[in-house]
Amino acid sequence: MTVVIGVDIGTSVTKAVAFDGDDRVLAQATRRSRLNRLPGGRVEQDLAHVLRTVGDVVRETAGRCDSPPAALALTGQGDGLWLRDEQGLATRPPISWMDGRASSYVTRWLADGTVREVHRHTGSGMFPGSHAPLLAWLQEHEPGTLERSAVAGYCVDAVAQHLTGRVCVDASDATLPFLRPHDRTYAAEALAACGLSEQARLLAAPAAPGTVLALDARGAELLGLPRGLPVVAGPYDLPATAVGSGVQDVGDGLLIVGTTLASQVLTDQVQIRPEAEPAGMWLCTPDRGRWLRAMPAMVGSAGLEWALSLTGATTGDLEDLLAASPPGANGVTCLPFLSEAGERAPFVAPGARGRLDGLTLGHGRADVVRAVCESIGYAARHCLEAAGLTRTLMACGGGTRSRAWTQLLADVLGRPVRVPGTREVGALGVVLTARRSLGERDSSRPRPGGFRTVAPRPEAGARYERGYQDYRRELPGALARRSRPGG
């Protein structure tokens, strides 16, 4: 087996990780990502800066390996809108999936039935940072940008086009919100429902599973690697992380405790129920006949970091803070919807906002931090229930580095949580996919590796069961208040 470098182009950092044939990490490098936060809830990136970070981490990682890489595998953030011309140059700054400028479109489409009509054809919901509302916003406010563009893609295929000269959109990226998951084709009815039929030309057909690209002269210069080096682009970070975490059997699930909270469950059936909440998505995987029922919420460690900053604490204080407040946070409760784009799973609510309740002068910052952590746990349980979890649950992401928070999550979920021994599960997942595409393996099942299992504590179970039921009862009224004019 040969060395393969996996590149994970995330929202917070870009990282490259070199793996040997036994899935062991040989070398790695990271660079911070740059988000441009603008008025009106707008969040954008700079494609040139993203490409520089990719070049830097790949060069550094390759330079630390004893042998040159045999291939490059790309994964990264999904959704958002990365518009390019025929040469792959950005026609405007890429719009992040965190962007909230198109919230009013989603709010209107929820009210007039557009979201439900799209869901009827694709099984996917939508949120302000997804293709449909962003394209609609640009169609109204920047029509010239769309006219200059040749492809409306995503982060991973934008980088892949610069490296290889080819447009190659993975089916997982293409899912939301126009793709029919059964046959991996775009639903013209969904585009028409959003008034975007004329923008269909910008949607590249999803690449076939197993597609292998090659580094061209421009990519070779950026990375310092030989022209012709095999490149595999996708799946994007959610399914890549599922592969790398060992999600293999139908009913297995994964909870990613990152900037946001992503819940996924592996299934062999797509069941689109018109009466169901039009949220989440059915992500195509590298295996035809297998999908991930995904509920990627907007809550996550970003909310915890906000609470820590608000109380003058840091992530280094988290263990002590959680130890200083008991389950139930001494009566303090929270709704964790802090994203400017609202919430997208397991319900769609662009107007959802966060809330802290029950505070008195007798409470301290430990109670606030625990209440936020508990509310994120309740959101995770809600998402996993909606996704259909029935078997083993894996968990990964920066939040699982805290043993106290991981224990809290297991307690709230009421089930054991398996945490992979390696932190680089996204990069590992796309490397495993690349090895399969290159014929080095007949499956993308990771080799046996270490896990730590966190079991729920019975003494916390009853308290968190009541807390979860209270959380669920509070949601309808809180979200209804936000949906009223001026709410």
Side-chain angles (χ1 to χ4, degrees):
M1 290 287 185
T2 51
V3 174
V4 178
I5 294 180
V7 183
D8 188 346
I9 312 148
T11 305
S12 301
V13 299
T14 295
K15 67 179 68 173
V17 188
F19 292 91
D20 69 9
D22 293 318
D23 302 339
R24 293 175 301 198
V25 174
L26 299 175
Q28 58 186 308
T30 63
R31 295 291 187 278
R32 294 291 301 177
S33 302
R34 189 168 68 200
L35 291 174
N36 299 319
R37 295 185 178 274
L38 305 168
R42 294 179 292 163
V43 185
E44 298 180 348
Q45 292 193 256
D46 180 343
L47 179 55
H49 180 264
V50 171
L51 292 168
R52 283 197 299 274
T53 66
V54 170
D56 288 347
V57 296
V58 171
R59 283 176 177 270
E60 184 175 333
T61 301
R64 294 176 178 174
C65 295
D66 293 334
S67 58
L72 192 71
L74 304 176
T75 188
Q77 59 184 292
D79 297 308
L81 184 60
W82 297 61
L83 289 163
R84 290 106 62 192
D85 62 17
E86 292 180 354
Q87 285 72 47
L89 302 176
T91 54
R92 71 164 335 277
I95 303 176
S96 168
W97 60 270
M98 300 174 72
D99 194 274
R101 77 187 70 195
S103 295
S104 62
Y105 290 82
V106 179
T107 299
R108 184 169 71 247
W109 289 347
L110 282 167
D112 67 15
T114 298
V115 170
R116 189 163 292 281
E117 174 66 10
V118 172
H119 177 267
R120 187 169 70 87
H121 294 285
T122 68
S124 287
M126 64 177 74
F127 70 105
S130 60
H131 264 44
L134 290 175
L135 285 170
W137 189 93
L138 289 170
Q139 190 169 254
E140 179 177 353
H141 298 281
E142 295 183 21
T145 298
L146 296 179
E147 292 171 5
R148 294 192 304 273
S149 301
V151 58
Y154 307 83
C155 175
V156 175
D157 62 274
V159 173
Q161 185 178 4
H162 187 89
L163 298 180
T164 70
R166 289 181 54 187
V167 176
C168 184
V169 178
D170 189 80
S172 61
D173 251 329
T175 297
L176 193 70
F178 300 125
L179 198 73
R180 292 188 183 93
H182 304 87
D183 61 9
R184 303 186 181 214
T185 63
Y186 295 111
E189 302 91 338
L191 282 154
C194 298
L196 294 169
S197 295
E198 65 183 80
Q199 308 307 336
R201 67 177 183 84
L202 298 175
L203 304 180
T211 296
V212 179
L213 309 174
L215 209 61
D216 66 8
R218 182 171 64 172
E221 181 181 3
L222 176 69
L223 304 182
L225 296 175
R227 185 173 180 175
L229 184 78
V231 177
V232 173
Y236 86 97
D237 58 6
L238 293 192
T241 302
V243 173
S245 296
V247 173
Q248 293 287 342
D249 298 318
V250 171
D252 283 351
L254 173 66
L255 176 65
I256 305 173
V257 190
T259 304
T260 59
L261 196 69
S263 302
Q264 308 173 79
V265 175
L266 188 65
T267 180
D268 58 0
Q269 296 182 13
V270 174
Q271 299 176 333
I272 300 175
R273 303 196 313 273
E275 75 282 0
E277 178 75 25
M281 61 194 81
W282 300 89
L283 289 173
C284 297
T285 74
D287 292 309
R288 292 190 184 273
R290 290 288 188 274
W291 297 266
L292 286 160
R293 181 59 171 146
M295 290 288 170
M298 299 295 285
V299 304
S301 61
L304 172 59
E305 290 168 4
W306 171 87
L308 290 169
S309 175
L310 188 72
T311 58
T314 69
T315 53
D317 301 316
L318 181 58
E319 303 294 302
D320 290 340
L321 288 169
L322 290 177
S325 180
N330 289 315
V332 179
T333 63
C334 175
L335 292 179
F337 311 118
L338 295 170
S339 169
E340 291 176 305
E343 188 50 273
R344 60 176 174 174
F347 51 84
V348 179
R353 293 295 180 263
R355 208 170 77 192
L356 281 166
D357 286 324
L359 286 167
T360 70
L361 292 175
H363 290 108
R365 64 179 184 172
D367 299 315
V368 172
V369 170
R370 176 170 275 278
V372 171
C373 287
E374 289 178 348
S375 70
I376 295 171
Y378 295 144
R381 180 171 168 180
H382 195 186
C383 287
L384 288 165
E385 288 178 355
L389 177 67
T390 58
R391 291 175 59 92
T392 304
L393 176 65
M394 273 65 84
C396 65
T400 60
R401 297 175 190 173
S402 165
R403 289 185 175 270
W405 196 15
T406 306
Q407 182 65 66
L408 185 156
L409 290 170
D411 293 342
V412 169
L413 295 171
R415 63 168 61 240
V417 175
R418 295 183 71 193
V419 181
T422 179
R423 294 178 179 178
E424 313 306 337
V425 287
L428 174 59
V430 77
V431 165
L432 293 170
T433 302
R435 290 195 187 281
R436 184 177 177 185
S437 300
L438 294 165
E440 288 193 0
R441 290 190 186 174
D442 59 5
S443 79
S444 56
R445 183 180 294 271
R447 296 178 186 276
F451 290 87
R452 63 180 172 94
T453 300
V454 182
R457 297 173 299 181
E459 64 270 21
R463 178 65 189 84
Y464 282 132
E465 183 62 34
R466 292 195 304 273
Y468 178 60
Q469 297 305 324
D470 290 343
Y471 169 86
R472 291 292 304 271
R473 280 192 293 270
E474 184 70 16
L475 283 179
L479 296 177
R481 285 193 294 274
R482 289 300 314 173
S483 67
R484 291 198 296 265

